[in-house]
Amino acid sequence: MAQFALVIDLNTCVGCHACATNCKEWNTQAAFGPLSDFDPYGREPQGVWYNRIMTYEMGEFPNTQVFHLPKSCLHCQDSPCVPVCPTGASYKREQDGIVLVNYDDCIGCKLCSWSCPYGCREFDEADKVMKKCTLCIDRIYDESLPPEHRKPACVLTCPAKARFFGDIEDPNSEVYNVIKERNGFVLFSDAGTNPGNHYLPRTETKVHVDEHLLKHDNPLFLEVLRRHHVGG
């Protein structure tokens, strides 16, 4: 059975949020929208996002790293959100493995969100139903679009080309091969959900900092030199 999914290169993602913004733009006006916003320009904006970017800082100065983790519905092959739905509103399509929500049947009980180990379900306070990433199903099957545009909005907009889309079960697909060649992995593999979405691992790069490039007026300059000379 086909399993459409995203593959995200964590070594290339720069956390620019272009994918999240274009996702919001497309899905707010498309067949599975609108996506609500409450106080979008205020101090505490709230609303529905299908795609969120989480950023983490690791290490101790000056040996620090920044890590970006884009996350949306993983379209699990053993989706725990489907069997818990009391109305059958959450379902997985046999033809492509995409997990969707029928808004007409959803009663907003949030059982699906509690069963999702990844926290990828969003409750729309305006419509009182659960919403989630659809892999832009209204784009990828739209034959009025040029073939190269029949991809999720997040994939099309990524400036770093960190996102791939396709059938991860098809040995002839780009996503199948990039997972095999670059050791793609899934989140929480021990959760038993068998996610469709995969990630490509980061590789650590050592950068040598020449002392003449350091700014002497930096209040941390002496600390940088000390750590540089003692090896960090």
Side-chain angles (χ1 to χ4, degrees):
M1 185 179 77
Q3 176 60 62
F4 284 10
L6 298 172
V7 177
I8 301 172
D9 187 350
L10 299 180
N11 202 47
T12 306
C13 175
V14 295
C16 68
H17 289 241
C19 56
T21 303
N22 204 30
C23 168
K24 184 84 165 182
E25 168 68 19
W26 175 259
N27 287 293
T28 293
Q29 63 184 331
F32 283 82
L35 306 184
S36 61
D37 272 320
F38 300 99
D39 195 22
Y41 302 105
R43 296 178 60 87
E44 297 181 357
Q46 298 290 329
V48 175
W49 293 77
Y50 288 168
N51 181 36
R52 294 182 183 268
I53 315 300
M54 293 173 287
T55 297
Y56 304 94
E57 293 183 1
M58 301 179 291
E60 184 178 352
F61 178 84
N63 300 310
T64 58
Q65 297 182 42
V66 175
F67 168 53
H68 306 289
L69 179 67
K71 195 177 65 166
S72 56
C73 171
L74 304 172
H75 299 277
C76 302
Q77 300 190 55
D78 300 305
S79 309
C81 57
V82 172
V84 300
C85 180
T87 66
S90 290
Y91 64 101
K92 187 172 180 66
R93 288 162 49 99
E94 291 187 0
Q95 61 268 47
D96 52 27
I98 298 176
V99 177
L100 294 177
V101 178
N102 183 339
Y103 298 156
D104 291 335
D105 292 337
C106 180
I107 58 175
C109 66
K110 302 182 183 179
L111 283 175
C112 56
S113 66
W114 297 341
S115 70
C116 176
Y118 311 102
C120 290
R121 289 283 182 140
E122 301 261 335
F123 182 69
D124 192 317
E125 292 287 352
D127 292 342
K128 302 300 181 187
V129 297
M130 301 303 297
K131 295 183 176 179
K132 58 178 285 303
C133 163
T134 67
L135 287 179
C136 291
I137 193 170
D138 48 348
R139 284 194 66 96
I140 61 177
Y141 289 111
D142 187 349
E143 296 185 354
S144 68
L145 295 174
E148 64 272 20
H149 289 178
R150 297 175 198 168
K151 297 178 181 178
C154 61
V155 175
L156 290 171
T157 198
C158 179
K161 307 299 181 187
R163 287 173 170 260
F164 305 86
F165 168 72
D167 180 4
I168 63 168
E169 298 294 342
D170 179 3
N172 296 315
S173 71
E174 181 182 31
V175 286
Y176 178 94
N177 288 291
V178 77
I179 290 171
K180 295 294 183 185
E181 293 169 1
R182 298 181 57 186
N183 299 318
F185 66 95
V186 297
L187 295 181
F188 305 160
S189 57
D190 55 351
T193 62
N194 199 8
N197 285 8
H198 282 63
Y199 293 88
L200 303 181
R202 300 172 73 236
T203 56
E204 187 173 349
T205 302
K206 295 288 185 181
V207 178
H208 175 73
V209 181
D210 292 328
E211 293 182 10
H212 73 277
L213 295 177
L214 299 174
K215 295 182 178 179
H216 291 256
D217 58 351
N218 184 341
L220 298 174
F221 176 71
L222 293 179
E223 179 65 11
V224 172
L225 285 183
R226 184 186 71 79
R227 297 193 180 214
H228 185 60
H229 286 305
V230 300

